[in-house]
Amino acid sequence: MTFLHHPAFQSLVLPFVLALAACLLLRMAGLRWAALGASLGLVLAMAVWPGFDWPASSRTQTLPWAALGSTLLAALAIALKAPGTKAMGRRNGLVATVLLTLAALALVAWPALGGSMLLAQLALMLGAVTGVAVLWAWRAASVSPASLLPLLVTGIGIALCVAWLPPGGSEGTGENKGDDPYYAPQWK
């Protein structure tokens, strides 16, 4: 397994670097746009892994599409200067992003204990990009509710996928009796 295909790289390093780069590049367009960098980094990381499959044949394959759609809606709201796109104060933005990061990191344990390492990896990706949002809220105080919406939507999507995990297949065979082939725990 190469370094680029290692789960730790795909879940932690890649989303963090892409989100940080997106924040820095969007900074040139202004602080409103820079706040969207964490969400854009998540979409780009999900484009690399697990990818955008159309039509989505499983619940987990809808997560990248949900992240993309909510990021596009947030970008539209920022472009139209809709309410909720103005940057929060540094303290409020930092509290909101820290709470979102803690929720994303708590979300990692739930699917890992439930048998879905795929959902645990996706939750870890979310935790990595919300860490960038915390850094950006602390550094530039440019986090807005609209820029956090895609991260929240993706987190809710992961939580719903975990809640709908089927009871599992036969022990050790990797069979899955549910409707989602990604949920077969191969490691049990």
Side-chain angles (χ1 to χ4, degrees), residues 157-185:
I158 293 170
L160 288 174
C161 285
V162 174
W164 291 330
L165 275 174
S170 305
E171 287 291 323
T173 64
E175 280 184 26
N176 186 16
K177 295 177 186 171
D179 65 340
D180 199 338
Y182 282 123
Y183 289 148

Side-chain angles (χ1 to χ4, degrees), residues 91-148:
R91 182 172 181 262
N92 291 340
L94 197 55
V95 168
T97 55
V98 166
L99 289 176
L100 190 60
T101 302
L102 291 175
L105 293 177
L107 188 58
V108 173
W110 189 19
L113 294 174
S116 177
M117 294 311 287
L118 171 73
L119 288 174
Q121 261 188 282
L122 291 173
L124 201 54
M125 289 172 83
L126 180 64
V129 298
T130 55
V132 171
V134 169
L135 288 174
W136 204 253
W138 174 67
R139 165 82 170 79
S142 69
V143 174
S144 65
S147 67
L148 294 178

